[in-house]
Amino acid sequence: MPVLTAKETQGTRLPPLGPHEYWEDSKWASDHFTEIVKDYPNQWVAIVDKKVVAAGRTIAEVEKAATEKTGRDEFPVYLAEKGVCVYNH
C-alpha cells in the first residue's frame, strides 16, 4: 500500500468516524473477546450497548437480526473465531 505525502493528501477529507456508541461497543467487544468466543464460538456477533444482541453463522443474518432488534444500522460485528480455522474458496 503506497504512503502519500502531506502535499498529496492536502484537501483530502476523511470519512466521519461514526457514532460514539459504535466505538464504545467496539472497545467493550475487544475487552470481552475471550468471553464472547467462549459463548459464541466460530459465530458472527453484533454488539450493541455493550452486549451481544445477535449471533449466527453468516454476517448477513447477524446484521439483519441486530438491526431489527435495535433499530440501529451501525454497530460492530465480529467473527468470534475459536482456534485455528481453514478456509477454502
Side-chain angles (χ1 to χ4, degrees):
M1 173 180 275
V3 177
L4 303 176
T5 67
K7 185 176 181 178
E8 291 171 321
T9 61
Q10 193 171 15
T12 301
R13 294 184 53 149
L14 296 174
L17 292 177
H20 180 71
E21 295 84 5
Y22 177 97
W23 297 106
E24 286 182 352
D25 288 338
S26 186
K27 174 152 179 19
W28 180 88
S30 178
D31 293 344
H32 294 86
F33 199 70
T34 301
E35 300 156 45
I36 293 169
V37 170
K38 181 180 163 198
D39 293 341
Y40 305 95
N42 299 317
Q43 294 182 61
W44 289 96
V45 296
I47 312 296
V48 175
D49 294 331
K50 299 178 182 164
K51 62 185 174 198
V52 175
V53 296
R57 296 181 52 81
T58 69
I59 193 169
E61 74 180 79
V62 170
E63 288 176 335
K64 181 179 181 200
T67 298
E68 289 173 355
K69 286 181 183 179
T70 67
R72 286 198 195 167
D73 59 356
E74 291 189 43
F75 42 81
V77 177
Y78 294 95
L79 177 58
E81 191 171 46
K82 181 177 184 177
V84 176
C85 295
V86 177
Y87 300 96
N88 294 319
H89 61 280

